[in-house]
Amino acid sequence: MYAYLPILLFIVSCAGTHSLTQEGKAVKISHNKPSKNCKELEPVMGSCHRLFTIEQNREYAMNDIRNNASKLGSNYVMINSIEQFKENNIGSIVNGTAYHCP
């Protein structure tokens, strides 16, 4: 029974995390570098591995990265890469860098 636990966790890994928190709503995301007066915090990731549509998985992963960045005190994320697993529609991963901008 425990052998299936990692698979189950992978499938439901964005359950409950697809909604933006109030703090996550304050985080801007962009592919552009922020202004020079922004302080780089650290790399941040968002993911969703569920059997939603490709668009929903991407949206939920974007929400996840914004929520995760807000926990670091970030208000800006520069997106570095977006991976979408179209085969079998198993999810999306978004990688970025969290910044705090005045």
XYZ file of all heavy atoms in Angstrom:
798
model
N 0.816 -1.192 0.000
C 0.000 0.000 0.000
C 0.863 1.262 0.000
O 0.588 2.202 -0.707
C -0.920 -0.008 1.210
C -1.764 1.234 1.308
S -2.924 1.067 2.651
C -3.450 2.726 2.781
N 1.917 1.293 0.803
C 2.767 2.476 0.878
C 3.567 2.706 -0.395
O 4.043 3.806 -0.633
C 3.705 2.380 2.083
C 2.972 2.468 3.394
C 2.840 1.357 4.213
C 2.398 3.657 3.797
C 2.154 1.430 5.408
C 1.708 3.757 4.989
C 1.592 2.637 5.796
O 0.916 2.731 6.969
N 3.706 1.679 -1.208
C 4.441 1.821 -2.461
C 3.747 2.793 -3.410
O 4.388 3.419 -4.240
C 4.603 0.469 -3.129
N 2.452 2.945 -3.288
C 1.699 3.840 -4.165
C 1.620 5.259 -3.641
O 1.147 6.151 -4.332
C 0.279 3.297 -4.383
C 0.278 1.965 -5.084
C 0.009 0.802 -4.396
C 0.577 1.883 -6.437
C 0.021 -0.430 -5.039
C 0.591 0.668 -7.087
C 0.318 -0.485 -6.386
O 0.335 -1.686 -7.033
N 2.103 5.529 -2.446
C 2.011 6.855 -1.848
C 2.706 7.921 -2.677
O 2.112 8.977 -2.924
C 2.539 6.830 -0.409
C 2.350 8.113 0.384
C 0.868 8.471 0.467
C 2.933 7.951 1.774
N 3.942 7.723 -3.164
C 4.561 8.765 -3.993
C 3.764 9.084 -5.250
O 3.668 10.237 -5.654
C 5.927 8.180 -4.348
C 6.202 7.192 -3.272
C 4.850 6.630 -2.892
N 3.183 8.077 -5.859
C 2.375 8.302 -7.063
C 1.136 9.111 -6.719
O 0.788 10.067 -7.419
C 1.996 6.957 -7.721
C 3.262 6.250 -8.206
C 1.012 7.162 -8.868
C 3.049 4.814 -8.607
N 0.487 8.778 -5.640
C -0.708 9.506 -5.212
C -0.368 10.947 -4.889
O -1.085 11.866 -5.299
C -1.340 8.817 -3.997
C -2.597 9.471 -3.434
C -3.704 9.484 -4.479
C -3.054 8.748 -2.188
N 0.716 11.185 -4.190
C 1.123 12.551 -3.860
C 1.447 13.348 -5.109
O 1.135 14.530 -5.203
C 2.313 12.535 -2.900
C 2.018 12.062 -1.492
C 3.299 11.972 -0.679
C 1.008 12.952 -0.796
N 2.065 12.711 -6.105
C 2.371 13.383 -7.354
C 1.096 13.813 -8.073
O 0.981 14.928 -8.543
C 3.202 12.461 -8.252
C 3.535 13.056 -9.589
C 4.540 13.989 -9.697
C 2.845 12.680 -10.719
C 4.856 14.539 -10.924
C 3.149 13.221 -11.951
C 4.172 14.157 -12.050
N 0.110 12.940 -8.112
C -1.130 13.216 -8.834
C -1.913 14.352 -8.189
O -2.490 15.180 -8.873
C -1.989 11.941 -8.947
C -1.301 10.945 -9.885
C -3.393 12.259 -9.443
C -1.949 9.582 -9.924
N -1.932 14.430 -6.876
C -2.763 15.439 -6.203
C -1.942 16.600 -5.662
O -2.399 17.346 -4.820
C -3.595 14.809 -5.061
C -4.538 13.773 -5.593
C -2.714 14.252 -3.959
N -0.741 16.816 -6.191
C 0.160 17.780 -5.581
C -0.289 19.232 -5.668
O 0.260 20.067 -4.993
C 1.562 17.642 -6.153
O 1.571 18.047 -7.497
N -1.254 19.587 -6.476
C -1.703 20.978 -6.433
C -3.110 21.087 -5.863
O -3.733 22.123 -5.971
C -1.572 21.664 -7.792
S -2.860 21.332 -8.971
N -3.578 20.049 -5.209
C -4.890 20.119 -4.565
C -4.857 21.172 -3.477
O -4.024 21.151 -2.600
C -5.257 18.764 -3.976
N -5.743 22.131 -3.570
C -5.806 23.171 -2.561
C -4.848 24.315 -2.797
O -4.949 25.340 -2.163
N -3.887 24.169 -3.718
C -2.922 25.235 -3.951
C -3.190 25.994 -5.247
O -2.422 26.863 -5.594
C -1.480 24.687 -3.992
O -1.372 23.802 -5.105
C -1.108 23.978 -2.718
N -4.258 25.670 -5.944
C -4.485 26.328 -7.221
C -5.118 27.706 -7.074
O -5.178 28.449 -8.028
C -5.300 25.443 -8.168
C -6.619 25.009 -7.634
N -6.764 23.846 -6.919
C -7.834 25.582 -7.700
C -8.040 23.723 -6.583
N -8.687 24.761 -7.032
N -5.541 28.066 -5.887
C -6.090 29.394 -5.651
C -4.999 30.331 -5.165
O -4.123 29.936 -4.408
C -7.195 29.338 -4.600
O -8.262 28.547 -5.047
N -5.083 31.569 -5.593
C -4.142 32.570 -5.109
C -4.516 33.003 -3.703
O -5.680 33.245 -3.407
C -4.179 33.809 -6.006
C -3.290 33.813 -7.218
C -3.570 35.039 -8.068
C -1.835 33.766 -6.838
N -3.515 33.119 -2.845
C -3.740 33.693 -1.521
C -3.797 35.210 -1.672
O -3.426 35.751 -2.728
C -2.591 33.322 -0.567
O -1.372 33.869 -1.091
C -2.458 31.807 -0.410
N -4.216 35.910 -0.645
C -4.211 37.376 -0.674
C -2.799 37.880 -0.919
O -2.592 38.814 -1.684
C -4.752 37.949 0.635
C -6.263 38.014 0.714
C -6.863 38.838 -0.407
O -7.597 38.317 -1.239
N -6.572 40.120 -0.452
N -1.816 37.266 -0.253
C -0.420 37.668 -0.425
C 0.071 37.356 -1.832
O 0.811 38.141 -2.425
C 0.467 36.964 0.614
C 0.161 37.323 2.047
C -1.014 36.547 2.665
O -1.557 35.635 2.010
O -1.392 36.877 3.797
N -0.342 36.218 -2.372
C 0.050 35.829 -3.725
C -0.485 36.781 -4.778
O 0.169 37.013 -5.800
N -1.653 37.341 -4.535
C -2.238 38.294 -5.480
C -1.389 39.551 -5.630
O -1.445 40.224 -6.647
C -3.651 38.679 -5.033
C -4.652 37.568 -5.198
C -6.027 37.986 -4.702
C -6.997 36.812 -4.783
N -8.329 37.172 -4.271
N -0.585 39.857 -4.620
C 0.258 41.056 -4.645
C 1.577 40.833 -5.381
O 2.351 41.765 -5.563
C 0.540 41.526 -3.216
N 1.842 39.608 -5.816
C 3.101 39.292 -6.504
C 2.893 39.391 -8.011
O 2.067 38.692 -8.585
C 3.597 37.871 -6.128
C 4.866 37.530 -6.906
C 3.825 37.756 -4.627
N 3.658 40.279 -8.635
C 3.610 40.440 -10.086
C 4.537 39.414 -10.713
O 5.625 39.152 -10.190
C 4.055 41.850 -10.468
C 4.026 42.109 -11.949
C 4.485 43.504 -12.287
C 4.494 43.668 -13.799
N 4.998 44.963 -14.215
N 4.136 38.825 -11.839
C 4.998 37.889 -12.556
C 5.261 38.414 -13.962
O 4.387 39.019 -14.588
C 4.413 36.461 -12.598
C 2.992 36.452 -13.166
C 4.452 35.812 -11.241
C 2.419 35.065 -13.335
N 6.493 38.190 -14.427
C 6.881 38.679 -15.741
C 8.085 37.890 -16.235
O 8.812 37.287 -15.447
C 7.245 40.168 -15.654
O 7.714 40.645 -16.901
N 8.303 37.914 -17.537
C 9.498 37.317 -18.121
C 10.635 38.347 -18.161
O 11.759 38.013 -18.512
C 9.227 36.795 -19.534
C 8.336 35.598 -19.550
N 8.790 34.324 -19.311
C 6.994 35.476 -19.743
C 7.787 33.471 -19.370
N 6.687 34.144 -19.635
N 10.328 39.583 -17.825
C 11.308 40.663 -17.856
C 12.019 40.809 -16.520
O 11.439 40.554 -15.461
C 10.616 41.986 -18.189
C 9.919 41.933 -19.527
O 10.437 41.399 -20.490
N 8.715 42.471 -19.580
N 13.276 41.283 -16.587
C 14.015 41.568 -15.363
C 13.366 42.752 -14.662
O 12.866 43.673 -15.322
C 15.475 41.898 -15.675
C 16.295 40.704 -16.064
C 17.763 41.074 -16.142
C 18.573 39.816 -16.377
N 20.004 40.080 -16.271
N 13.370 42.740 -13.329
C 12.804 43.885 -12.617
C 13.762 45.077 -12.668
O 14.907 44.946 -13.136
C 12.664 43.364 -11.189
C 13.762 42.366 -11.057
C 13.867 41.716 -12.418
N 13.327 46.211 -12.149
C 14.190 47.390 -12.127
C 15.407 47.133 -11.237
O 15.409 46.236 -10.396
C 13.408 48.608 -11.634
O 13.012 48.419 -10.293
N 16.435 47.935 -11.427
C 17.698 47.735 -10.721
C 17.588 47.935 -9.216
O 18.433 47.449 -8.474
C 18.764 48.659 -11.300
C 19.126 48.315 -12.724
C 20.270 49.169 -13.225
C 20.495 48.924 -14.683
N 21.538 47.997 -14.975
N 16.562 48.637 -8.758
C 16.439 48.865 -7.313
C 15.706 47.725 -6.596
O 15.470 47.807 -5.399
C 15.783 50.215 -7.017
C 14.399 50.339 -7.620
O 14.007 49.536 -8.461
N 13.673 51.362 -7.217
N 15.402 46.651 -7.302
C 14.787 45.473 -6.689
C 15.878 44.565 -6.132
O 16.945 44.418 -6.731
C 13.954 44.698 -7.703
S 12.530 45.603 -8.313
N 15.586 43.930 -5.009
C 16.545 43.030 -4.370
C 16.193 41.585 -4.716
O 15.065 41.140 -4.495
C 16.500 43.207 -2.859
C 17.440 42.285 -2.114
C 17.296 42.439 -0.612
C 18.178 41.425 0.092
N 17.929 41.372 1.514
N 17.180 40.859 -5.253
C 16.974 39.448 -5.564
C 16.922 38.655 -4.264
O 17.787 38.804 -3.396
C 18.098 38.922 -6.446
C 17.897 37.490 -6.871
C 18.951 36.996 -7.848
O 19.441 37.795 -8.673
O 19.286 35.803 -7.779
N 15.907 37.796 -4.124
C 15.759 36.992 -2.922
C 16.304 35.584 -3.130
O 17.329 35.224 -2.576
C 14.296 36.955 -2.479
C 13.675 38.322 -2.134
C 12.205 38.168 -1.803
C 14.436 38.983 -1.007
N 15.627 34.780 -3.925
C 16.091 33.418 -4.192
C 15.242 32.781 -5.284
O 14.177 33.292 -5.626
C 16.068 32.561 -2.928
C 14.701 32.366 -2.305
C 14.781 31.578 -1.001
O 15.120 32.166 0.028
O 14.502 30.367 -1.052
N 15.703 31.642 -5.820
C 14.895 30.929 -6.812
C 13.585 30.454 -6.182
O 13.531 30.154 -4.984
C 15.765 29.735 -7.204
C 17.150 30.120 -6.820
C 17.010 31.002 -5.616
N 12.567 30.395 -7.007
C 11.253 29.961 -6.539
C 10.610 29.108 -7.628
O 10.915 29.268 -8.817
C 10.383 31.185 -6.147
C 10.056 32.039 -7.341
C 9.150 30.789 -5.385
N 9.758 28.170 -7.214
C 9.125 27.258 -8.158
C 7.635 27.143 -7.855
O 7.221 27.254 -6.701
C 9.756 25.873 -8.053
C 9.204 24.883 -9.056
S 9.823 23.207 -8.803
C 8.709 22.638 -7.559
N 6.865 26.916 -8.872
C 5.448 26.600 -8.726
C 5.139 25.393 -9.583
O 5.735 25.211 -10.649
N 4.246 24.560 -9.117
C 3.929 23.375 -9.902
C 2.486 22.952 -9.694
O 1.850 23.314 -8.708
C 4.853 22.217 -9.530
O 4.644 21.839 -8.189
N 2.023 22.195 -10.654
C 0.713 21.558 -10.551
C 0.796 20.267 -11.344
O 1.126 20.272 -12.524
C -0.385 22.451 -11.111
S -2.018 21.706 -10.906
N 0.550 19.184 -10.675
C 0.619 17.867 -11.307
C -0.722 17.168 -11.124
O -0.856 16.292 -10.285
C 1.745 17.023 -10.699
C 3.067 17.679 -10.794
N 3.776 17.726 -11.967
C 3.803 18.340 -9.874
C 4.907 18.379 -11.754
N 4.942 18.754 -10.500
N -1.681 17.629 -11.861
C -3.009 17.024 -11.796
C -3.499 16.806 -13.211
O -2.948 17.345 -14.157
C -3.985 17.950 -11.053
C -3.565 18.213 -9.645
C -4.428 17.788 -8.507
N -5.711 17.241 -8.684
C -6.779 17.689 -8.066
N -6.742 18.738 -7.297
N -7.929 17.088 -8.203
N -4.556 16.104 -13.310
C -5.100 15.800 -14.630
C -6.137 16.834 -15.052
O -7.252 16.515 -15.426
C -5.670 14.383 -14.639
C -4.659 13.306 -14.296
C -5.330 11.938 -14.232
C -3.520 13.284 -15.292
N -5.744 18.111 -14.959
C -6.571 19.200 -15.466
C -6.216 19.398 -16.935
O -5.380 18.693 -17.495
C -6.275 20.501 -14.705
C -6.663 20.480 -13.255
C -5.706 20.704 -12.284
C -7.971 20.257 -12.860
C -6.051 20.710 -10.939
C -8.319 20.259 -11.523
C -7.358 20.490 -10.560
N -6.808 20.409 -17.562
C -6.392 20.751 -18.917
C -4.998 21.365 -18.857
O -4.544 21.801 -17.797
C -7.353 21.755 -19.565
O -7.272 22.992 -18.852
C -8.789 21.234 -19.582
N -4.333 21.438 -19.988
C -2.996 22.037 -20.052
C -3.048 23.480 -19.555
O -2.190 23.916 -18.790
C -2.442 21.954 -21.480
C -2.159 20.493 -21.844
C -1.188 22.802 -21.647
C -1.851 20.251 -23.303
N -4.069 24.213 -19.957
C -4.201 25.611 -19.555
C -4.414 25.738 -18.046
O -3.845 26.617 -17.405
C -5.359 26.285 -20.311
C -5.124 26.438 -21.796
C -5.394 25.145 -22.585
O -6.078 24.219 -22.070
O -4.901 25.048 -23.714
N -5.250 24.870 -17.482
C -5.489 24.917 -16.040
C -4.227 24.564 -15.254
O -3.917 25.218 -14.261
C -6.620 23.967 -15.652
C -7.989 24.463 -16.041
C -9.046 23.406 -15.802
O -8.866 22.232 -16.133
N -10.161 23.820 -15.231
N -3.503 23.545 -15.683
C -2.255 23.186 -15.007
C -1.280 24.353 -14.997
O -0.645 24.641 -13.991
C -1.602 21.967 -15.661
C -2.247 20.663 -15.255
O -2.825 20.550 -14.188
N -2.153 19.676 -16.116
N -1.165 25.031 -16.134
C -0.253 26.184 -16.213
C -0.728 27.307 -15.303
O 0.070 27.901 -14.579
C -0.153 26.665 -17.652
C 0.815 27.811 -17.797
C 0.951 28.245 -19.220
N 1.783 29.436 -19.260
C 2.258 29.966 -20.343
N 1.993 29.416 -21.506
N 2.993 31.044 -20.301
N -2.012 27.611 -15.338
C -2.551 28.675 -14.481
C -2.327 28.352 -13.005
O -1.910 29.210 -12.225
C -4.046 28.857 -14.748
C -4.698 29.877 -13.837
C -6.211 29.926 -13.993
O -6.743 29.382 -14.979
O -6.860 30.502 -13.106
N -2.590 27.115 -12.609
C -2.430 26.721 -11.214
C -0.961 26.742 -10.797
O -0.627 27.110 -9.669
C -3.044 25.351 -10.965
C -4.544 25.300 -11.194
C -5.190 24.093 -11.398
C -5.319 26.458 -11.215
C -6.568 24.036 -11.607
C -6.683 26.411 -11.430
C -7.304 25.195 -11.625
O -8.657 25.137 -11.828
N -0.053 26.379 -11.710
C 1.381 26.452 -11.408
C 1.813 27.907 -11.247
O 2.637 28.226 -10.377
C 2.191 25.764 -12.503
N 1.259 28.797 -12.055
C 1.549 30.233 -11.921
C 1.036 30.756 -10.574
O 1.711 31.541 -9.908
C 0.917 31.029 -13.062
C 1.593 30.823 -14.380
S 3.239 31.562 -14.410
C 3.504 31.629 -16.150
N -0.147 30.329 -10.184
C -0.668 30.720 -8.872
C 0.239 30.205 -7.760
O 0.520 30.912 -6.789
C -2.086 30.187 -8.666
C -3.116 30.887 -9.518
O -2.850 31.920 -10.130
N -4.300 30.325 -9.585
N 0.719 28.976 -7.916
C 1.573 28.357 -6.912
C 2.886 29.123 -6.758
O 3.350 29.363 -5.639
C 1.833 26.896 -7.286
C 2.442 26.082 -6.165
O 2.060 26.284 -4.987
O 3.286 25.225 -6.446
N 3.489 29.549 -7.873
C 4.747 30.283 -7.772
C 4.523 31.639 -7.103
O 5.346 32.102 -6.315
C 5.462 30.424 -9.136
C 6.941 30.785 -8.926
C 4.777 31.431 -10.039
C 7.784 30.722 -10.188
N 3.401 32.275 -7.383
C 3.100 33.563 -6.737
C 2.887 33.380 -5.240
O 3.385 34.170 -4.431
C 1.873 34.201 -7.390
C 2.149 34.674 -8.812
C 0.911 35.138 -9.518
N 0.422 36.400 -8.955
C -0.725 36.961 -9.333
N -1.477 36.393 -10.260
N -1.107 38.092 -8.784
N 2.160 32.333 -4.856
C 1.955 32.045 -3.433
C 3.284 31.740 -2.744
O 3.545 32.243 -1.635
C 0.993 30.874 -3.241
C -0.435 31.207 -3.624
O -0.831 32.365 -3.687
N -1.214 30.183 -3.895
N 4.118 30.929 -3.381
C 5.414 30.576 -2.798
C 6.320 31.797 -2.671
O 7.025 31.959 -1.670
C 6.106 29.486 -3.621
C 5.384 28.161 -3.527
O 4.642 27.911 -2.584
N 5.582 27.303 -4.511
N 6.317 32.654 -3.680
C 7.145 33.864 -3.636
C 6.689 34.801 -2.520
O 7.517 35.412 -1.840
C 7.090 34.584 -4.983
N 5.393 34.893 -2.305
C 4.888 35.786 -1.252
C 5.381 35.348 0.123
O 5.618 36.181 0.992
C 3.361 35.858 -1.282
O 2.780 34.659 -0.806
N 5.573 34.049 0.310
C 6.071 33.535 1.593
C 7.514 33.964 1.846
O 7.974 33.939 2.988
C 5.965 32.010 1.638
C 4.531 31.516 1.623
C 4.474 30.001 1.507
C 3.044 29.531 1.324
N 2.980 28.096 1.033
N 8.224 34.344 0.776
C 9.608 34.804 0.897
C 9.695 36.316 1.074
O 10.785 36.869 1.179
C 10.400 34.409 -0.355
C 10.466 32.931 -0.701
C 11.112 32.737 -2.064
C 11.238 32.187 0.380
N 8.543 36.989 1.039
C 8.532 38.443 1.118
C 8.676 39.105 -0.241
O 8.967 40.294 -0.345
N 8.458 38.343 -1.288
C 8.609 38.835 -2.652
C 7.331 39.523 -3.130
O 6.226 39.172 -2.718
C 8.912 37.651 -3.575
O 8.894 38.039 -4.930
N 7.521 40.500 -4.023
C 6.379 41.102 -4.688
C 6.561 41.110 -6.211
O 5.803 41.731 -6.934
C 6.105 42.518 -4.157
C 7.282 43.453 -4.312
O 8.311 43.105 -4.874
N 7.136 44.652 -3.798
N 7.613 40.416 -6.683
C 7.887 40.324 -8.114
C 8.613 39.010 -8.394
O 9.542 38.650 -7.665
C 8.782 41.494 -8.562
C 8.976 41.585 -10.058
C 8.159 42.392 -10.824
C 9.985 40.874 -10.698
C 8.328 42.484 -12.201
C 10.169 40.955 -12.063
C 9.340 41.764 -12.812
O 9.507 41.845 -14.172
N 8.187 38.305 -9.431
C 8.872 37.081 -9.857
C 9.189 37.199 -11.337
O 8.309 37.479 -12.156
C 8.015 35.814 -9.611
C 8.676 34.594 -10.232
C 7.792 35.597 -8.130
N 10.473 36.996 -11.652
C 10.881 36.914 -13.047
C 10.843 35.432 -13.431
O 11.537 34.600 -12.845
C 12.291 37.459 -13.253
C 12.719 37.431 -14.717
S 14.386 38.083 -15.002
C 15.380 36.778 -14.288
N 9.997 35.096 -14.395
C 9.847 33.715 -14.846
C 11.052 33.333 -15.703
O 11.379 34.015 -16.673
C 8.542 33.536 -15.655
C 7.325 33.907 -14.807
C 8.429 32.112 -16.197
C 7.131 33.079 -13.576
N 11.710 32.236 -15.325
C 12.867 31.746 -16.068
C 12.489 30.636 -17.044
O 13.053 30.542 -18.135
C 13.941 31.230 -15.108
C 14.438 32.319 -14.182
O 14.564 33.471 -14.565
N 14.701 31.953 -12.944
N 11.556 29.779 -16.646
C 11.143 28.686 -17.535
C 9.772 28.161 -17.134
O 9.369 28.258 -15.975
C 12.157 27.534 -17.500
O 12.157 26.909 -16.235
N 9.091 27.626 -18.129
C 7.795 26.973 -17.916
C 7.871 25.627 -18.628
O 8.130 25.576 -19.832
C 6.629 27.792 -18.486
C 6.575 29.169 -17.834
C 5.312 27.035 -18.304
C 5.565 30.112 -18.470
N 7.683 24.573 -17.861
C 7.683 23.227 -18.429
C 6.260 22.692 -18.364
O 5.652 22.686 -17.299
C 8.607 22.309 -17.643
C 10.054 22.738 -17.660
C 10.909 21.850 -16.795
O 10.838 20.613 -16.951
O 11.633 22.400 -15.954
N 5.757 22.279 -19.510
C 4.430 21.686 -19.561
C 4.563 20.273 -20.064
O 5.161 20.035 -21.110
C 3.513 22.511 -20.454
C 3.247 23.855 -19.862
C 2.055 24.544 -20.449
O 1.967 25.718 -20.336
N 1.135 23.850 -21.046
N 4.029 19.361 -19.316
C 4.100 17.951 -19.667
C 2.828 17.587 -20.424
O 1.851 17.165 -19.841
C 4.295 17.103 -18.411
C 5.514 17.513 -17.641
C 5.416 18.319 -16.524
C 6.777 17.124 -18.067
C 6.546 18.716 -15.828
C 7.905 17.511 -17.384
C 7.790 18.310 -16.253
N 2.867 17.815 -21.738
C 1.682 17.620 -22.567
C 1.338 16.149 -22.739
O 0.176 15.802 -22.864
C 1.883 18.284 -23.922
C 1.976 19.795 -23.807
C 2.204 20.434 -25.145
C 2.347 21.935 -24.967
N 2.641 22.613 -26.198
N 2.364 15.313 -22.744
C 2.095 13.888 -22.873
C 1.386 13.415 -21.613
O 1.851 13.615 -20.498
C 3.403 13.113 -23.055
C 3.171 11.657 -23.354
C 4.482 10.934 -23.635
O 5.325 11.485 -24.368
O 4.641 9.828 -23.111
N 0.247 12.852 -21.758
C -0.605 12.385 -20.654
C -1.125 13.525 -19.782
O -1.722 13.284 -18.749
C 0.115 11.355 -19.777
C 0.500 10.127 -20.557
O -0.249 9.683 -21.425
N 1.666 9.592 -20.290
N -0.864 14.772 -20.174
C -1.375 15.946 -19.465
C -1.197 15.826 -17.954
O -2.147 15.896 -17.192
C -2.855 16.161 -19.823
C -3.347 17.493 -19.311
O -2.584 18.443 -19.175
N -4.630 17.562 -19.033
N 0.054 15.668 -17.507
C 0.277 15.447 -16.075
C 0.737 16.676 -15.313
O 0.991 16.583 -14.123
C 1.261 14.288 -15.823
C 2.608 14.578 -16.465
C 0.668 12.976 -16.263
C 3.698 13.610 -16.050
N 0.865 17.817 -15.950
C 1.174 18.984 -15.152
C 2.092 20.007 -15.774
O 2.489 19.908 -16.926
N 2.411 21.009 -14.941
C 3.268 22.117 -15.324
C 4.182 22.471 -14.163
O 3.794 22.349 -12.996
C 2.429 23.351 -15.667
O 1.594 23.118 -16.763
N 5.381 22.939 -14.501
C 6.330 23.450 -13.514
C 6.804 24.804 -14.009
O 7.191 24.956 -15.170
C 7.534 22.510 -13.335
C 7.084 21.165 -12.777
C 8.578 23.139 -12.412
C 8.179 20.126 -12.684
N 6.777 25.800 -13.114
C 7.239 27.143 -13.431
C 8.420 27.455 -12.510
O 8.311 27.307 -11.293
C 6.126 28.189 -13.219
C 6.621 29.579 -13.593
C 4.887 27.833 -14.017
N 9.542 27.861 -13.100
C 10.727 28.248 -12.343
C 10.973 29.738 -12.521
O 10.816 30.262 -13.633
C 11.960 27.476 -12.814
C 11.870 26.010 -12.474
O 11.872 25.642 -11.314
N 11.747 25.179 -13.497
N 11.346 30.395 -11.433
C 11.611 31.818 -11.517
C 12.534 32.279 -10.416
O 13.053 31.488 -9.630
N 12.731 33.595 -10.380
C 13.541 34.214 -9.338
C 12.673 35.239 -8.626
O 12.040 36.074 -9.266
C 14.766 34.922 -9.964
O 15.492 33.959 -10.747
C 15.668 35.481 -8.888
N 12.643 35.133 -7.297
C 11.842 36.041 -6.481
C 12.641 37.308 -6.169
O 13.838 37.222 -5.869
C 11.423 35.347 -5.185
N 11.965 38.445 -6.240
C 12.564 39.738 -5.924
C 11.642 40.487 -4.973
O 10.427 40.257 -4.961
C 12.721 40.586 -7.188
C 13.746 40.088 -8.171
C 13.416 39.113 -9.098
C 15.029 40.607 -8.169
C 14.358 38.659 -10.010
C 15.976 40.155 -9.090
C 15.629 39.182 -9.999
O 16.550 38.738 -10.908
N 12.237 41.429 -4.248
C 11.424 42.388 -3.504
C 11.745 43.758 -4.077
O 12.901 44.187 -4.095
C 11.718 42.386 -2.004
C 10.868 43.379 -1.291
N 9.529 43.146 -1.048
C 11.131 44.605 -0.837
C 9.016 44.199 -0.448
N 9.972 45.094 -0.317
N 10.716 44.426 -4.573
C 10.877 45.740 -5.190
C 10.181 46.806 -4.343
O 9.080 46.558 -3.818
C 10.276 45.740 -6.590
S 10.978 44.482 -7.684
N 10.831 47.964 -4.206
C 10.208 49.040 -3.399
C 9.000 49.643 -4.096
O 8.787 49.484 -5.248
C 11.331 50.065 -3.247
C 12.392 49.696 -4.216
C 12.145 48.296 -4.672
